[in-house]
Amino acid sequence: MISAPAFSTFFPPRRTLMGPGPSDISPQVLAAQSKPTIGHLDPLFIKMMDELKSLLQYAFQTTNPMTLAVSAPGSAGMETCFVNLVEPGDTVIVCRNGVFGERMRQNVERIGATAVVVDDPWGQPVSAAKVEQALQQNPQAKFVALVHAETSTGVCSDVQTIAAIARQYDCLSIVDAVTSLGGIELRVDDWGIDAIYSGSQKCLSCVPGLSPVSFSPRAVQKIQDRSHPVQSWFLDQSLVMGYWSGDGKRSYHHTAPVNGLYALHESLRLLAEEGLENAWARHRQQHRDLATGLTKLGIEFIVDEQYRLPQLNAVTIPEGVDDAKVRSRLLNEFNLEIGAGLGDLAGKAWRIGLMGYAARKENVALCLQALNQVLR
Amino acid sequence: MISAPAFSTFFPPRRTLMGPGPSDISPQVLAAQSKPTIGHLDPLFIKMMDELKSLLQYAFQTTNPMTLAVSAPGSAGMETCFVNLVEPGDTVIVCRNGVFGERMRQNVERIGATAVVVDDPWGQPVSAAKVEQALQQNPQAKFVALVHAETSTGVCSDVQTIAAIARQYDCLSIVDAVTSLGGIELRVDDWGIDAIYSGSQKCLSCVPGLSPVSFSPRAVQKIQDRSHPVQSWFLDQSLVMGYWSGDGKRSYHHTAPVNGLYALHESLRLLAEEGLENAWARHRQQHRDLATGLTKLGIEFIVDEQYRLPQLNAVTIPEGVDDAKVRSRLLNEFNLEIGAGLGDLAGKAWRIGLMGYAARKENVALCLQALNQVLR
């Protein structure tokens, strides 16, 4: 026998999470998650799932019946959208202005489809003009994929305009809303978005590990008309819908992450209680206060004011400052996590999140005061 | 605006979970899960992940460095093993004696590989002789895939013998240990298993949503020698290992399900504290007591005694008994969940789980007494 290791129960410290996610989680959400586990086919659980679907539809501002939470993190939500819609040989216009556009490209290529990449510089939004040009040059394209809130740079792209252009060219739009859902304006039906995915651990302030997704009726039709089977069994939505269908007869696909779904239900319930527009306004307000304070500390934003995400503040590390040392002091002395730069911005930027429950006066005050002391 | 639905916080009842999973969860595991979320790159979290890897290695009885938990349920663990190892055009011997062997076949075919199916009747173990015959007839085969504990029928197959045969024919073995890990004897290294996956919600008695996996050095070599990229970005282990590598430098792949991993750490810690052999013996003992009681009630097992899984008792529904009504009364009057039949056994069988924390005297007593009253 390989002998048993002897470890103690893990007791994490209480951190203030102001990185790119996971964000601070409301005590009510943690409490909901720790309720006793019941069966994933229990009638009471199924009733909760029906409520969860309504709450997701509200958060996405959609009436799409095919709205659910993938039982895995946001990157699985991304893959769910791509593998269900895109078939081998298809052409997809992929907008890339940060890490997650590049990840979309990799998803497309692993399907055996062709990605036509529309590049914009890191820290700038996707250019609608370039997307339209790419569509003109690639009449065979069937999809336009873009990131609403690019977590690696803190930039917001104009999904409403680009989804409308996609539709003009008879393309479906696939939108990454991992960092946007619940934090900034997003209207799936009004904007004509065809497939969208998000993550539980950003502006929803739920525990990490779940990915809300929604598909328009046009997208559902596309899935039904596929000529190749979906390459993933686990993510095949035609199978998953047997469980989420809400027709009262849930068929077993996989064991749902019961406790995580309790938490998601509670976090969405709190969002509905506050109201989406109030949540968006709260994120804007806290962002303004943070930005004012950062400017006073001489810290500059990477993104032009008009394109900045309130919930993800990417700032340039001031010259002469030791990136790792500052983040480590914030963590060890103030229990405050802010995010490092990712990809091209590694070592050059910090990413300060104000997501969901973290978009609070207390957090802004702590962050400014801690930075002030550590940078002094 | 689509208006906000108004729902209350969900308060699940306290059930006793004796179905095919999720199983009863120890209060300590639920408590561990509800600890404050910290960042997935936090040094303290990474230390916890290192411990978690040791605990998984102990549970699997392996020294495989590539041992980790997939951030999704067991069916994603299954897919992880298949998509990382099997390439388009490969031949896989798939042993099918229940629902999960069939799911393996579907995984193989979605890769564009060929599944040679070795069928055994539901309720019987995989026949080692038939596997050997299939290997003789298919010298091009590269893998043998089988389910250790078939959750749909309650039968245990002889993985040790079949993995050894696979190796004689220079094939890698892929083993489904979703329902076996922690409940019955399983020794990955001694038995020469090359790839194995499990689920958190069975005999580990952790919350559902995570899938422990392990790959032998031979399997890792196979992954490194691939000529096609892995079709799934999310499940590509060459990327995931950058996060789980344990060399102190964890690189971001996706946001880990932080709280779920707290729970898995605690459930594995409890298993290590009890000791694997003691846990196996406890499952056997509770099974014997349950079987004795069921026999007294005139309820018969589907599987021959020598092949029965202690943790999953598939029994024939007595003649004239209304399946749904009995399960519904158990649930509503006794808060007791037992499992329905699945696939070929739907409407014909019940599946009574004694998994992990549920393999307790109290549960056996409740189940026998409740069945006695409801069937009277």
Side-chain angles (χ1 to χ4, degrees), chain A residues 297 329 333-334 368-376:
Chain A
L297 292 173
R329 281 193 60 194
E333 296 174 24
F334 297 89
L368 290 173
Q369 186 57 26
L371 272 175
N372 188 31
Q373 284 185 235
V374 169
L375 291 177
R376 188 178 296 160

Side-chain angles (χ1 to χ4, degrees), chain A residues 180-249:
Chain A
S180 63
L181 184 68
I184 52 171
E185 185 176 10
L186 170 65
R187 300 173 190 274
V188 168
D189 286 1
D190 288 354
W191 295 359
I193 296 167
D194 291 301
I196 191 162
Y197 57 91
S198 187
S200 49
Q201 82 286 9
K202 308 277 186 180
C203 296
L204 300 182
S205 277
C206 176
V207 291
L210 296 166
S211 176
V213 297
S214 186
F215 294 89
S216 74
R218 287 209 312 164
V220 172
Q221 190 60 49
K222 187 88 181 56
I223 294 173
Q224 284 165 350
D225 294 345
R226 286 181 66 94
S227 51
H228 303 76
V230 173
Q231 66 193 41
S232 169
W233 185 92
F234 175 58
L235 301 177
D236 185 339
Q237 293 305 287
S238 64
L239 304 177
V240 173
M241 279 309 286
Y243 181 67
W244 277 85
S245 62
D247 63 355
K249 197 175 166 297

